[in-house]
Amino acid sequence: MKIVRTCSELRALTSAWRQDGLRIGFVPTMGALHAGHLSLIDISRQQAARTIASLFVNPAQFAPNEDFAAYPRDESRDMAMFAQAGVDLVYAPPVEQIYPQGHAASITIGGISEILEGEIRPQFFSGVASIVTILFNQVQPDLAVFGEKDYQQLCVIRKLVRDLHMPIEIIGGETIRETCGLAMSSRNKYLTDCERRQAPALYRTLCEIARGVRTGENPDQLCELAANTLSETGFGKLDYVTVRDAVTLRPHAEPGRPARVLAATWLGKARLIDNVAV
Ligand code: PAF
């Protein structure tokens, strides 16, 4: 496995692969790898002849009051996991390779990035859309894989690629869960042992809403009940629990269109987000 830190080294290697007609898959990460990331790498390896992963904790997607400084970082562990998973090349740039001095460009996607997570974390999706665009321009992959765990992020990236005519196939990888149902996330490290035992209630509650919607119950009432259940189970502030159109993330109105149940809530120091298909 090659590890490169500069865009010029990256381009030298990838242009040789491209000249050989090899399809390039890309898995962007912020490190703190877990089985969820490994499953995205697996998808890329099945679909592409070469897989590139990036390792970059992107300051632009954290608000000043968020956990940029505390975000878990362990590069040697991550590199060992990338190698074990069969990644061909890791791009782990220092911040100047991404945001050189004087950098002032940013990408804003209207609509879909202004609701749900976008209301609670106003700079998040512009930070994500900007870093993903920069990485796509540097890596120039044929396909890129993102987890459904961050479902709205996946929808925003699909819209980014469509609206900016980027010739990149976006593949969603299904959420990987602990046996208790808790969605794997780098931020689960913030949970205490006691909170880890409470946390699976989030997934159970989302599954109950999805079951109710499938059998024709009222989504708003189901979400209201779910909010009470979560609060009784010991969860803190609930940012949202809602049933949305699976593509536009607008309130789910048209019967027959695919729907998704999404929630974000606090448990101790961890902000948990999760979603399930209806
Ligand atoms: O999902 C993540 O880990 C990040 O948001 C991403 C896509 C790597 C961009 O920094």
Side-chain angles (χ1 to χ4, degrees):
M1 182 180 83
K2 292 227 159 22
I3 299 174
V4 299
R5 310 257 174 205
T6 65
C7 182
S8 51
E9 290 169 282
L10 172 71
R11 289 229 165 112
L13 285 163
T14 51
S15 69
W17 290 345
R18 235 167 261 112
Q19 271 162 24
D20 290 345
L22 300 175
R23 191 165 150 80
I24 298 175
F26 179 43
V27 181
T29 83
M30 298 205 301
L33 300 185
H34 50 69
H37 296 105
L38 302 183
S39 74
L40 306 181
I41 291 168
D42 256 10
I43 295 173
S44 172
R45 293 187 67 224
Q46 280 160 29
Q47 308 270 334
R50 292 287 180 275
T51 289
I52 299 176
S54 62
L55 172 48
F56 182 68
V57 185
N58 174 34
Q61 67 192 72
F62 292 80
N65 61 333
E66 292 183 344
D67 58 344
F68 176 68
Y71 197 82
R73 291 166 171 88
D74 186 345
E75 191 183 290
S76 47
R77 174 185 171 275
D78 288 337
M79 290 300 181
M81 287 177 77
F82 280 135
Q84 174 77 28
V87 168
D88 297 289
L89 186 161
V90 180
Y91 179 44
V95 74
E96 327 72 80
Q97 282 293 310
I98 301 292
Y99 303 118
Q101 222 186 357
H103 176 98
S106 81
I107 306 277
T108 308
I109 314 271
I112 196 160
S113 63
E114 293 161 347
I115 54 178
L116 302 172
E117 286 299 295
E119 268 180 49
I120 314 279
R121 306 177 68 196
Q123 76 185 75
F124 176 66
F125 285 123
S126 149
V128 168
S130 303
I131 183 65
V132 168
T133 303
I134 292 167
L135 290 170
F136 280 178
N137 284 337
Q138 293 188 334
V139 174
Q140 297 179 23
D142 297 291
L143 65 92
V145 194
F146 294 84
E148 285 186 349
K149 154 80 173 51
D150 296 302
Y151 190 77
Q152 188 176 3
Q153 170 174 280
L154 174 62
C155 297
V156 167
I157 289 164
R158 287 195 196 285
K159 182 108 182 82
L160 167 79
V161 164
R162 200 176 314 128
D163 286 4
L164 296 185
H165 304 268
M166 297 176 174
I168 301 170
E169 181 190 353
I170 302 300
I171 301 176
E174 74 177 45
T175 303
I176 304 298
R177 299 181 182 278
E178 312 273 359
T179 38
C180 62
L182 174 65
M184 293 209 181
S185 161
S186 307
R187 287 189 169 105
N188 291 349
K189 295 199 167 104
Y190 301 151
L191 294 169
T192 63
D193 288 349
C194 173
E195 289 159 357
R196 270 194 171 261
R197 287 191 289 277
Q198 290 167 286
L202 178 59
Y203 176 57
R204 280 202 301 275
T205 307
L206 296 187
C207 290
E208 272 161 35
I209 299 176
R211 250 193 314 273
V213 174
R214 275 197 293 271
T215 57
E217 289 180 57
N218 179 296
D220 293 339
Q221 281 171 9
L222 287 164
C223 290
E224 225 176 284
L225 277 174
N228 292 336
T229 311
L230 289 173
S231 146
E232 281 158 17
T233 320
F235 282 79
K237 182 172 176 286
L238 176 68
D239 285 337
Y240 55 83
V241 55
T242 183
V243 180
R244 296 293 171 116
D245 183 286
V247 178
T248 64
L249 299 187
R250 295 262 152 226
H252 185 244
E254 280 176 57
R257 276 192 58 85
R260 201 94 192 172
V261 190
L262 304 107
T265 183
W266 286 86
L267 189 55
K269 290 204 187 92
R271 183 169 182 272
L272 302 181
I273 67 170
D274 202 351
N275 67 88
V276 298
V278 170

